[in-house]
mmCIF file of all heavy atoms in Angstrom:
data_model
loop_
_atom_site.group_PDB
_atom_site.id
_atom_site.type_symbol
_atom_site.label_atom_id
_atom_site.label_comp_id
_atom_site.label_asym_id
_atom_site.label_seq_id
_atom_site.Cartn_x
_atom_site.Cartn_y
_atom_site.Cartn_z
ATOM 1 N N GLY A 11 -13.605 345.859 75.004
ATOM 2 C CA GLY A 11 -14.853 346.028 75.768
ATOM 3 C C GLY A 11 -15.695 344.761 75.767
ATOM 4 O O GLY A 11 -16.894 344.807 76.043
ATOM 5 N N GLY A 14 -17.993 343.848 78.669
ATOM 6 C CA GLY A 14 -19.079 344.795 78.965
ATOM 7 C C GLY A 14 -20.407 344.300 78.425
ATOM 8 O O GLY A 14 -20.517 343.163 77.932
ATOM 9 N N PHE A 15 -21.394 345.148 78.517
ATOM 10 C CA PHE A 15 -22.762 344.792 78.119
ATOM 11 C C PHE A 15 -22.833 344.409 76.633
ATOM 12 O O PHE A 15 -23.017 343.235 76.276
ATOM 13 C CB PHE A 15 -23.678 345.977 78.483
ATOM 14 C CG PHE A 15 -25.002 346.020 77.800
ATOM 15 C CD1 PHE A 15 -25.838 344.905 77.772
ATOM 16 C CD2 PHE A 15 -25.443 347.196 77.185
ATOM 17 C CE1 PHE A 15 -27.079 344.955 77.137
ATOM 18 C CE2 PHE A 15 -26.674 347.257 76.560
ATOM 19 C CZ PHE A 15 -27.494 346.136 76.528
ATOM 20 N N ILE A 16 -22.640 345.365 75.734
ATOM 21 C CA ILE A 16 -22.809 345.083 74.299
ATOM 22 C C ILE A 16 -21.678 344.195 73.786
ATOM 23 O O ILE A 16 -21.907 343.212 73.072
ATOM 24 C CB ILE A 16 -22.876 346.385 73.470
ATOM 25 C CG1 ILE A 16 -23.994 347.296 73.987
ATOM 26 C CG2 ILE A 16 -23.083 346.069 71.992
ATOM 27 C CD1 ILE A 16 -24.003 348.692 73.376
ATOM 28 N N GLY A 17 -20.429 344.542 74.169
ATOM 29 C CA GLY A 17 -19.262 343.807 73.672
ATOM 30 C C GLY A 17 -19.366 342.311 73.949
ATOM 31 O O GLY A 17 -18.987 341.486 73.106
ATOM 32 N N ALA A 38 -13.035 348.022 83.792
ATOM 33 C CA ALA A 38 -13.427 349.292 84.426
ATOM 34 C C ALA A 38 -14.914 349.256 84.782
ATOM 35 O O ALA A 38 -15.295 349.579 85.909
ATOM 36 C CB ALA A 38 -13.138 350.465 83.488
ATOM 37 N N THR A 39 -15.752 348.861 83.838
ATOM 38 C CA THR A 39 -17.181 348.673 84.118
ATOM 39 C C THR A 39 -17.622 347.281 83.692
ATOM 40 O O THR A 39 -18.748 346.877 83.986
ATOM 41 C CB THR A 39 -18.053 349.704 83.350
ATOM 42 O OG1 THR A 39 -17.718 349.625 81.959
ATOM 43 C CG2 THR A 39 -17.844 351.111 83.849
ATOM 44 N N GLY A 40 -16.760 346.555 83.024
ATOM 45 C CA GLY A 40 -17.094 345.206 82.556
ATOM 46 C C GLY A 40 -17.024 344.199 83.696
ATOM 47 O O GLY A 40 -16.579 344.516 84.798
ATOM 48 N N HIS A 77 -15.291 348.235 71.185
ATOM 49 C CA HIS A 77 -16.404 348.633 72.051
ATOM 50 C C HIS A 77 -15.944 349.266 73.365
ATOM 51 O O HIS A 77 -16.769 349.830 74.080
ATOM 52 C CB HIS A 77 -17.304 347.429 72.363
ATOM 53 C CG HIS A 77 -18.357 347.206 71.328
ATOM 54 N ND1 HIS A 77 -18.059 346.691 70.087
ATOM 55 C CD2 HIS A 77 -19.687 347.455 71.317
ATOM 56 C CE1 HIS A 77 -19.172 346.626 69.369
ATOM 57 N NE2 HIS A 77 -20.172 347.086 70.088
ATOM 58 N N ALA A 78 -14.665 349.135 73.722
ATOM 59 C CA ALA A 78 -14.216 349.683 75.019
ATOM 60 C C ALA A 78 -14.398 351.196 75.033
ATOM 61 O O ALA A 78 -13.995 351.885 74.101
ATOM 62 C CB ALA A 78 -12.744 349.335 75.251
ATOM 63 N N ALA A 79 -15.030 351.701 76.073
ATOM 64 C CA ALA A 79 -15.240 353.148 76.169
ATOM 65 C C ALA A 79 -15.709 353.529 77.557
ATOM 66 O O ALA A 79 -16.160 352.678 78.333
ATOM 67 C CB ALA A 79 -16.284 353.605 75.151
ATOM 68 N N GLN A 80 -15.591 354.798 77.836
ATOM 69 C CA GLN A 80 -16.228 355.424 78.981
ATOM 70 C C GLN A 80 -17.599 355.837 78.458
ATOM 71 O O GLN A 80 -17.699 356.588 77.490
ATOM 72 C CB GLN A 80 -15.340 356.623 79.365
ATOM 73 C CG GLN A 80 -15.735 357.482 80.513
ATOM 74 C CD GLN A 80 -17.124 358.048 80.478
ATOM 75 O OE1 GLN A 80 -17.979 357.617 81.253
ATOM 76 N NE2 GLN A 80 -17.375 359.005 79.588
ATOM 77 N N ILE A 81 -18.710 355.327 79.039
ATOM 78 C CA ILE A 81 -20.012 355.536 78.394
ATOM 79 C C ILE A 81 -20.933 356.514 79.119
ATOM 80 O O ILE A 81 -22.060 356.731 78.674
ATOM 81 C CB ILE A 81 -20.776 354.200 78.201
ATOM 82 C CG1 ILE A 81 -21.169 353.586 79.556
ATOM 83 C CG2 ILE A 81 -19.971 353.215 77.380
ATOM 84 C CD1 ILE A 81 -22.335 352.609 79.418
ATOM 85 N N SER A 82 -20.453 357.112 80.215
ATOM 86 C CA SER A 82 -21.351 357.999 80.966
ATOM 87 C C SER A 82 -21.322 359.429 80.398
ATOM 88 O O SER A 82 -20.281 360.089 80.395
ATOM 89 C CB SER A 82 -20.937 358.020 82.443
ATOM 90 O OG SER A 82 -21.536 359.124 83.075
ATOM 91 N N VAL A 83 -22.493 359.886 79.932
ATOM 92 C CA VAL A 83 -22.602 361.264 79.418
ATOM 93 C C VAL A 83 -22.356 362.253 80.562
ATOM 94 O O VAL A 83 -21.653 363.254 80.397
ATOM 95 C CB VAL A 83 -23.999 361.478 78.776
ATOM 96 C CG1 VAL A 83 -24.219 362.939 78.419
ATOM 97 C CG2 VAL A 83 -24.145 360.604 77.535
ATOM 98 N N ALA A 84 -22.919 361.950 81.744
ATOM 99 C CA ALA A 84 -22.758 362.850 82.901
ATOM 100 C C ALA A 84 -21.289 362.977 83.277
ATOM 101 O O ALA A 84 -20.783 364.081 83.499
ATOM 102 C CB ALA A 84 -23.574 362.330 84.078
ATOM 103 N N LEU A 85 -20.572 361.836 83.331
ATOM 104 C CA LEU A 85 -19.151 361.885 83.676
ATOM 105 C C LEU A 85 -18.369 362.671 82.628
ATOM 106 O O LEU A 85 -17.460 363.443 82.949
ATOM 107 C CB LEU A 85 -18.597 360.474 83.826
ATOM 108 C CG LEU A 85 -17.238 360.361 84.493
ATOM 109 C CD1 LEU A 85 -17.152 359.080 85.307
ATOM 110 C CD2 LEU A 85 -16.086 360.421 83.488
ATOM 111 N N SER A 86 -18.755 362.499 81.367
ATOM 112 C CA SER A 86 -18.048 363.225 80.298
ATOM 113 C C SER A 86 -18.213 364.733 80.469
ATOM 114 O O SER A 86 -17.307 365.505 80.144
ATOM 115 C CB SER A 86 -18.524 362.768 78.916
ATOM 116 O OG SER A 86 -19.725 363.412 78.512
ATOM 117 N N SER A 87 -19.377 365.166 81.001
ATOM 118 C CA SER A 87 -19.593 366.605 81.205
ATOM 119 C C SER A 87 -18.800 367.100 82.411
ATOM 120 O O SER A 87 -18.270 368.208 82.405
ATOM 121 C CB SER A 87 -21.084 366.900 81.449
ATOM 122 O OG SER A 87 -21.825 366.467 80.341
ATOM 123 N N ALA A 92 -10.998 363.260 81.070
ATOM 124 C CA ALA A 92 -10.970 361.827 81.403
ATOM 125 C C ALA A 92 -11.734 361.046 80.337
ATOM 126 O O ALA A 92 -11.301 359.964 79.911
ATOM 127 C CB ALA A 92 -11.585 361.590 82.780
ATOM 128 N N ASP A 93 -12.856 361.603 79.894
ATOM 129 C CA ASP A 93 -13.638 360.952 78.833
ATOM 130 C C ASP A 93 -12.783 360.816 77.571
ATOM 131 O O ASP A 93 -12.699 359.740 76.973
ATOM 132 C CB ASP A 93 -14.897 361.789 78.540
ATOM 133 C CG ASP A 93 -15.677 361.264 77.349
ATOM 134 O OD1 ASP A 93 -16.458 360.318 77.527
ATOM 135 O OD2 ASP A 93 -15.485 361.790 76.232
ATOM 136 N N THR A 96 -9.951 358.032 77.529
ATOM 137 C CA THR A 96 -10.361 356.681 77.124
ATOM 138 C C THR A 96 -10.922 356.676 75.704
ATOM 139 O O THR A 96 -10.509 355.871 74.862
ATOM 140 C CB THR A 96 -11.453 356.133 78.087
ATOM 141 O OG1 THR A 96 -10.923 356.128 79.405
ATOM 142 C CG2 THR A 96 -11.870 354.719 77.697
ATOM 143 N N ASN A 97 -11.849 357.606 75.444
ATOM 144 C CA ASN A 97 -12.619 357.490 74.197
ATOM 145 C C ASN A 97 -11.889 358.019 72.967
ATOM 146 O O ASN A 97 -12.101 357.498 71.868
ATOM 147 C CB ASN A 97 -13.969 358.200 74.358
ATOM 148 C CG ASN A 97 -14.875 357.459 75.336
ATOM 149 O OD1 ASN A 97 -14.504 356.414 75.864
ATOM 150 N ND2 ASN A 97 -16.059 357.980 75.585
ATOM 151 N N ALA A 119 -17.893 351.050 67.749
ATOM 152 C CA ALA A 119 -19.200 351.266 68.386
ATOM 153 C C ALA A 119 -19.410 352.759 68.576
ATOM 154 O O ALA A 119 -18.934 353.355 69.540
ATOM 155 C CB ALA A 119 -19.254 350.547 69.728
ATOM 156 N N SER A 120 -20.109 353.377 67.625
ATOM 157 C CA SER A 120 -20.393 354.805 67.712
ATOM 158 C C SER A 120 -21.821 354.977 68.234
ATOM 159 O O SER A 120 -22.436 354.029 68.736
ATOM 160 C CB SER A 120 -20.196 355.452 66.341
ATOM 161 O OG SER A 120 -20.268 356.859 66.445
ATOM 162 N N THR A 121 -22.339 356.169 68.129
ATOM 163 C CA THR A 121 -23.653 356.455 68.685
ATOM 164 C C THR A 121 -24.464 357.299 67.707
ATOM 165 O O THR A 121 -23.897 358.133 67.001
ATOM 166 C CB THR A 121 -23.498 357.204 70.025
ATOM 167 O OG1 THR A 121 -24.762 357.745 70.391
ATOM 168 C CG2 THR A 121 -22.491 358.339 69.942
ATOM 169 N N ALA A 124 -26.258 360.507 70.619
ATOM 170 C CA ALA A 124 -25.324 361.520 71.136
ATOM 171 C C ALA A 124 -24.587 362.257 70.014
ATOM 172 O O ALA A 124 -24.004 363.318 70.238
ATOM 173 C CB ALA A 124 -24.324 360.867 72.081
ATOM 174 N N SER A 144 -22.845 366.786 74.109
ATOM 175 C CA SER A 144 -22.048 366.414 75.296
ATOM 176 C C SER A 144 -20.623 366.071 74.866
ATOM 177 O O SER A 144 -20.392 365.704 73.708
ATOM 178 C CB SER A 144 -22.662 365.184 75.963
ATOM 179 O OG SER A 144 -22.558 364.074 75.090
ATOM 180 N N PRO A 145 -19.654 366.154 75.818
ATOM 181 C CA PRO A 145 -18.282 365.727 75.493
ATOM 182 C C PRO A 145 -18.230 364.269 75.027
ATOM 183 O O PRO A 145 -17.443 363.923 74.148
ATOM 184 C CB PRO A 145 -17.534 365.913 76.817
ATOM 185 C CG PRO A 145 -18.300 366.989 77.515
ATOM 186 C CD PRO A 145 -19.745 366.763 77.155
ATOM 187 N N TYR A 146 -19.090 363.418 75.590
ATOM 188 C CA TYR A 146 -19.149 362.011 75.141
ATOM 189 C C TYR A 146 -19.474 361.949 73.647
ATOM 190 O O TYR A 146 -18.807 361.244 72.881
ATOM 191 C CB TYR A 146 -20.202 361.254 75.969
ATOM 192 C CG TYR A 146 -20.572 359.894 75.416
ATOM 193 C CD1 TYR A 146 -19.759 358.784 75.638
ATOM 194 C CD2 TYR A 146 -21.742 359.719 74.666
ATOM 195 C CE1 TYR A 146 -20.106 357.532 75.125
ATOM 196 C CE2 TYR A 146 -22.090 358.476 74.158
ATOM 197 C CZ TYR A 146 -21.276 357.388 74.390
ATOM 198 O OH TYR A 146 -21.622 356.161 73.882
ATOM 199 N N GLY A 147 -20.495 362.709 73.214
ATOM 200 C CA GLY A 147 -20.871 362.735 71.799
ATOM 201 C C GLY A 147 -19.740 363.297 70.955
ATOM 202 O O GLY A 147 -19.461 362.804 69.850
ATOM 203 N N SER A 149 -16.566 363.100 71.638
ATOM 204 C CA SER A 149 -15.469 362.122 71.548
ATOM 205 C C SER A 149 -15.785 361.060 70.491
ATOM 206 O O SER A 149 -14.898 360.640 69.733
ATOM 207 C CB SER A 149 -15.153 361.499 72.917
ATOM 208 O OG SER A 149 -16.155 360.598 73.326
ATOM 209 N N LYS A 150 -17.052 360.640 70.404
ATOM 210 C CA LYS A 150 -17.425 359.649 69.388
ATOM 211 C C LYS A 150 -17.288 360.268 67.983
ATOM 212 O O LYS A 150 -16.807 359.618 67.051
ATOM 213 C CB LYS A 150 -18.863 359.166 69.620
ATOM 214 C CG LYS A 150 -19.039 358.307 70.871
ATOM 215 C CD LYS A 150 -18.471 356.917 70.662
ATOM 216 C CE LYS A 150 -18.593 356.049 71.906
ATOM 217 N NZ LYS A 150 -17.959 354.747 71.778
ATOM 218 N N TYR A 173 -25.193 353.401 67.133
ATOM 219 C CA TYR A 173 -26.283 352.737 67.842
ATOM 220 C C TYR A 173 -27.323 353.729 68.345
ATOM 221 O O TYR A 173 -26.994 354.848 68.769
ATOM 222 C CB TYR A 173 -25.766 351.996 69.080
ATOM 223 C CG TYR A 173 -24.738 350.916 68.826
ATOM 224 C CD1 TYR A 173 -23.849 350.554 69.832
ATOM 225 C CD2 TYR A 173 -24.674 350.240 67.610
ATOM 226 C CE1 TYR A 173 -22.904 349.554 69.634
ATOM 227 C CE2 TYR A 173 -23.731 349.248 67.399
ATOM 228 C CZ TYR A 173 -22.847 348.913 68.414
ATOM 229 O OH TYR A 173 -21.914 347.928 68.216
ATOM 230 N N VAL A 176 -29.352 351.075 73.282
ATOM 231 C CA VAL A 176 -29.288 349.620 73.307
ATOM 232 C C VAL A 176 -29.793 349.128 74.670
ATOM 233 O O VAL A 176 -29.490 349.737 75.693
ATOM 234 C CB VAL A 176 -27.841 349.142 73.065
ATOM 235 C CG1 VAL A 176 -27.792 347.628 72.925
ATOM 236 C CG2 VAL A 176 -27.253 349.818 71.820
ATOM 237 N N ARG A 180 -27.676 341.863 80.807
ATOM 238 C CA ARG A 180 -26.291 342.235 81.176
ATOM 239 C C ARG A 180 -26.079 343.744 81.233
ATOM 240 O O ARG A 180 -24.994 344.179 81.626
ATOM 241 C CB ARG A 180 -25.234 341.627 80.246
ATOM 242 C CG ARG A 180 -25.246 340.122 80.236
ATOM 243 C CD ARG A 180 -24.117 339.607 79.339
ATOM 244 N NE ARG A 180 -24.372 338.237 78.950
ATOM 245 C CZ ARG A 180 -23.884 337.663 77.854
ATOM 246 N NH1 ARG A 180 -23.095 338.337 77.048
ATOM 247 N NH2 ARG A 180 -24.177 336.417 77.576
ATOM 248 N N GLN A 181 -27.060 344.538 80.828
ATOM 249 C CA GLN A 181 -26.869 345.987 80.992
ATOM 250 C C GLN A 181 -26.976 346.285 82.489
ATOM 251 O O GLN A 181 -27.890 345.787 83.152
ATOM 252 C CB GLN A 181 -27.944 346.758 80.232
ATOM 253 C CG GLN A 181 -27.688 348.269 80.223
ATOM 254 C CD GLN A 181 -28.530 348.984 79.164
ATOM 255 O OE1 GLN A 181 -29.666 348.580 78.909
ATOM 256 N NE2 GLN A 181 -27.986 350.028 78.583
ATOM 257 N N THR A 182 -26.043 347.066 83.007
ATOM 258 C CA THR A 182 -26.072 347.296 84.452
ATOM 259 C C THR A 182 -26.898 348.539 84.770
ATOM 260 O O THR A 182 -27.067 349.427 83.930
ATOM 261 C CB THR A 182 -24.653 347.493 85.033
ATOM 262 O OG1 THR A 182 -24.112 348.672 84.467
ATOM 263 C CG2 THR A 182 -23.766 346.298 84.761
ATOM 264 N N ALA A 183 -27.390 348.583 85.986
ATOM 265 C CA ALA A 183 -28.203 349.718 86.423
ATOM 266 C C ALA A 183 -27.327 350.818 86.995
ATOM 267 O O ALA A 183 -27.823 351.857 87.403
ATOM 268 C CB ALA A 183 -29.216 349.245 87.455
ATOM 269 N N GLU A 184 -25.998 350.567 87.046
ATOM 270 C CA GLU A 184 -25.098 351.610 87.552
ATOM 271 C C GLU A 184 -24.949 352.699 86.491
ATOM 272 O O GLU A 184 -25.133 352.456 85.315
ATOM 273 C CB GLU A 184 -23.709 351.034 87.859
ATOM 274 C CG GLU A 184 -23.632 350.342 89.196
ATOM 275 C CD GLU A 184 -23.598 348.826 89.054
ATOM 276 O OE1 GLU A 184 -22.718 348.328 88.357
ATOM 277 O OE2 GLU A 184 -24.481 348.171 89.628
ATOM 278 N N GLY A 185 -24.623 353.905 86.970
ATOM 279 C CA GLY A 185 -24.478 355.007 86.011
ATOM 280 C C GLY A 185 -25.841 355.428 85.516
ATOM 281 O O GLY A 185 -26.868 355.061 86.074
ATOM 282 N N GLU A 186 -25.855 356.195 84.434
ATOM 283 C CA GLU A 186 -27.148 356.727 83.981
ATOM 284 C C GLU A 186 -27.472 356.282 82.564
ATOM 285 O O GLU A 186 -28.421 356.726 81.959
ATOM 286 C CB GLU A 186 -27.149 358.261 84.098
ATOM 287 C CG GLU A 186 -26.693 359.047 82.915
ATOM 288 C CD GLU A 186 -25.227 358.915 82.556
ATOM 289 O OE1 GLU A 186 -24.418 358.384 83.340
ATOM 290 O OE2 GLU A 186 -24.865 359.358 81.474
ATOM 291 N N ALA A 187 -26.662 355.325 82.035
ATOM 292 C CA ALA A 187 -26.781 355.029 80.605
ATOM 293 C C ALA A 187 -28.066 354.312 80.213
ATOM 294 O O ALA A 187 -28.742 354.711 79.282
ATOM 295 C CB ALA A 187 -25.580 354.223 80.142
ATOM 296 N N GLY A 188 -28.415 353.261 80.919
ATOM 297 C CA GLY A 188 -29.516 352.441 80.432
ATOM 298 C C GLY A 188 -30.783 352.630 81.242
ATOM 299 O O GLY A 188 -30.961 352.022 82.292
#
Side-chain angles (χ1 to χ4, degrees):
F15 162 50
I16 304 171
T39 54
H77 273 73
Q80 180 306 109
I81 66 158
S82 164
V83 172
L85 194 146
S86 82
S87 301
D93 174 82
T96 302
N97 291 359
S120 189
T121 167
S144 65
Y146 168 80
S149 72
K150 290 286 178 185
Y173 300 155
V176 187
R180 300 183 199 155
Q181 187 164 35
T182 64
E184 279 105 56
E186 91 293 347

